[in-house]
Amino acid sequence: MVALKFLTPEQKQFWEDNGYIKLNIYSTKEINEISDAYNELFERKFRENLQGMESRWSGEDMKKLAGSISEDYTIKSIHNLQMHNEIFTRTITHPKLLDALEDIMGTEDIMLHHTKAHLKPPEKGSPYLMHQDYPYFPHKNHTMLAVFLHLDDTTPENGGLAIYPGSHKLGPLKDIKVIDERGDPIHYVDPKEYPLSKATPISAKKGEVVFFSYLTLHGSYLNLSDKTRRMFLIQVRAADDEPTLDVHNSPCQGLMLRDYPYFPHKNHTMLAVFLHLDDTTPENGGLAIYPGSHKLGPLKDIKVIDERGDPIHYVDPKEYPLSKATPISAKKGEVVFFSYLTLHGSYLNLSDKTRRMFLIQVRAADDEPTLDVHNSPCQGLMLRGKNIYKDALMTNRYKY
């Protein structure tokens, strides 16, 4: 048996038996930072697009569950929080969180699927019928699970979570599908067979995290109290688990990057972070640069389409030959930063040594692309600061 990094053996067994577990991951300071960033983001989005934030379920079964506020229940939602503020990027990559997930999932290979936040306002906060997350994004091996971070003390009175312990062992259940007023599908199980009233309430303190399988039946209560209920949800899966339907695609389900003619930007803040994983010289294919060439601005380029149908851009080799560039030798672990306007290339590797590198391409959040090209997963992930600019105002709903 692989040694556990975060869970106790008893906690691991509880997870396997019940399909959920409640843990403490974040420090008080970290929770307060997350809470402040969450509030700032919701306040800003309320000013920008209140209607687009509505995420309540519709239908007759929902109206029955909402009871006295059947015409007025509401819940506000923002998706892809890591695209808006670095604090949420740190939240989803927290070492303790990943240690806990590794123990729960039994793998080191953990992949983000999506994130979202739900805010249940006082007095009319929407409930949710019992459901599995499985129908929204089915996967072959059912490794998908939710990380439900509570940002308020939560009980059934202010719209807390409810679960049918052990229901993950039932596998995918027959669901009722309703199309809501936005044209999106809603999936839930028969409320007569699995009523919310018979589920187990999962009360939690601010900062506590509930993990549950996407096969675990869960829902939540009405919030008729005078307290808000805020949560941040992270959905993850094992990297080797395959989706069985091409649905619920969202930012940050992958990542790759490249150079200037490939992705022109208005203010030219884009730069490369070139990490050397081997000692590197011209002899084993090292980097070469024309120092100061970034000051020339965008240069006329030669464009060729390769055998894969992809464009290749380079400058005239008679005007800027590789032989006249400055070699940039580097030791293993050294990092070279260069502007995407800086002329660069690399030498042949005819030595007996491998040359490995890892490239990260970044830009300022307020720099706008001038062409809609080179789109890649996780483009827009905030590494530091927050994104208050228009490219963060992405569609709130997932496309099915």
Side-chain angles (χ1 to χ4, degrees):
M1 180 178 176
V2 178
L4 297 173
K5 293 183 175 180
F6 190 89
L7 272 63
T8 65
E10 292 77 17
Q11 288 172 324
K12 175 72 171 179
Q13 190 62 52
F14 184 92
W15 162 264
E16 292 177 355
D17 292 342
N18 294 281
Y20 81 94
I21 192 167
K22 183 169 61 177
L23 300 171
N24 283 295
I25 301 291
Y26 304 97
S27 69
T28 300
K29 179 183 177 183
E30 288 166 339
I31 289 298
N32 288 337
E33 288 176 345
I34 296 166
S35 179
D36 289 345
Y38 189 104
N39 289 345
E40 187 276 333
L41 179 58
F42 266 92
E43 287 167 6
R44 177 153 46 90
K45 295 305 176 186
F46 280 143
R47 294 193 298 268
E48 293 169 356
N49 188 19
L50 185 60
Q51 185 176 357
M53 295 171 67
E54 184 56 56
S55 197
R56 74 175 196 167
W57 286 1
S58 56
E60 291 304 311
D61 286 325
M62 276 298 298
K63 287 185 176 181
K64 290 177 185 176
L65 188 61
S68 62
I69 58 167
S70 61
E71 301 301 325
D72 198 33
Y73 62 93
T74 183
I75 189 165
K76 306 304 179 186
S77 178
I78 297 174
H79 293 246
N80 311 313
L81 275 74
Q82 71 280 3
M83 313 304 281
H84 295 279
N85 193 311
E86 61 154 325
I87 287 173
F88 300 113
T89 304
R90 294 205 305 265
T91 303
I92 66 180
T93 57
H94 197 287
K96 288 184 179 179
L97 173 65
L98 298 179
D99 283 349
L101 285 170
E102 186 176 330
D103 288 349
I104 288 169
M105 300 171 72
T107 180
E108 295 179 347
D109 303 319
I110 300 162
M111 182 175 286
L112 177 69
H113 190 263
H114 69 274
T115 68
K116 66 180 177 182
H118 277 175
L119 186 152
K120 282 192 184 186
E123 299 178 351
K124 57 180 181 179
S126 175
Y128 279 100
L129 293 156
M130 300 306 299
H131 63 283
Q132 295 177 316
D133 289 335
Y134 163 82
Y136 293 98
F137 32 86
H139 278 64
K140 186 176 180 180
N141 297 328
H142 306 316
T143 63
M144 187 79 71
L145 63 87
V147 180
F148 191 110
L149 171 58
H150 294 80
L151 293 175
D152 297 290
D153 290 349
T154 304
T155 67
E157 287 67 41
N158 69 327
L161 187 66
I163 277 175
Y164 272 77
S167 54
H168 64 300
K169 298 177 182 178
L170 300 174
L173 297 170
K174 182 179 179 181
D175 67 294
I176 296 170
K177 181 178 178 180
V178 174
I179 303 299
D180 70 12
E181 58 265 24
R182 296 177 297 269
D184 296 325
I186 296 167
H187 299 271
Y188 58 92
V189 293
D190 187 343
K192 294 178 182 176
E193 189 173 359
Y194 297 103
L196 178 60
S197 61
K198 290 187 178 179
T200 300
I202 309 296
S203 295
K205 295 292 185 182
K206 179 179 179 179
E208 288 188 315
V209 183
V210 176
F211 299 73
F212 58 87
S213 166
Y214 85 153
L215 292 174
T216 300
L217 280 171
H218 61 284
S220 63
Y221 301 96
L222 272 168
N223 183 6
L224 297 178
S225 75
D226 59 356
K227 299 176 182 178
T228 297
R229 193 222 69 176
R230 299 170 301 153
M231 72 79 154
F232 175 42
L233 185 97
I234 309 163
Q235 205 94 27
V236 300
R237 67 173 174 91
D240 62 353
D241 197 358
E242 301 174 9
T244 58
L245 293 175
D246 184 18
V247 292
H248 209 283
N249 299 308
S250 63
C252 266
Q253 287 179 16
L255 184 63
M256 75 176 273
L257 301 162
R258 257 166 136 181
D259 285 343
Y260 174 76
Y262 298 98
F263 33 82
H265 277 65
K266 186 175 181 181
N267 297 328
H268 305 317
T269 63
M270 186 79 71
L271 62 86
V273 181
F274 192 110
L275 171 60
H276 293 80
L277 295 174
D278 298 288
D279 290 347
T280 305
T281 67
E283 287 66 41
N284 69 327
L287 187 65
I289 276 175
Y290 271 76
S293 54
H294 65 297
K295 298 176 183 178
L296 301 174
L299 296 172
K300 181 179 179 181
D301 68 294
I302 297 169
K303 180 179 178 181
V304 175
I305 303 299
D306 71 10
E307 59 268 25
R308 298 179 298 270
D310 296 326
I312 297 171
H313 299 269
Y314 57 93
V315 293
D316 188 340
K318 294 178 181 177
E319 189 173 1
Y320 297 102
L322 179 61
S323 60
K324 290 187 178 179
T326 299
I328 309 295
S329 295
K331 295 291 186 183
K332 180 179 180 179
E334 288 187 320
V335 182
V336 176
F337 297 75
F338 56 89
S339 166
Y340 84 154
L341 291 175
T342 300
L343 282 171
H344 61 283
S346 62
Y347 301 97
L348 271 169
N349 183 4
L350 296 179
S351 74
D352 60 353
K353 299 176 181 178
T354 297
R355 192 222 70 175
R356 300 171 300 156
M357 72 82 159
F358 175 44
L359 184 86
I360 309 164
Q361 205 94 27
V362 298
R363 67 173 175 88
D366 62 348
D367 196 358
E368 300 175 13
T370 58
L371 293 175
D372 184 20
V373 293
H374 209 281
N375 298 308
S376 61
C378 228
Q379 202 167 82
L381 177 69
M382 289 305 296
L383 301 177
R384 177 158 290 185
K386 58 189 177 185
N387 191 353
I388 63 172
Y389 306 99
K390 67 182 183 181
D391 66 341
L393 309 182
M394 57 190 67
T395 302
N396 198 40
R397 303 293 296 178
Y398 295 108
K399 298 301 182 185
Y400 291 87

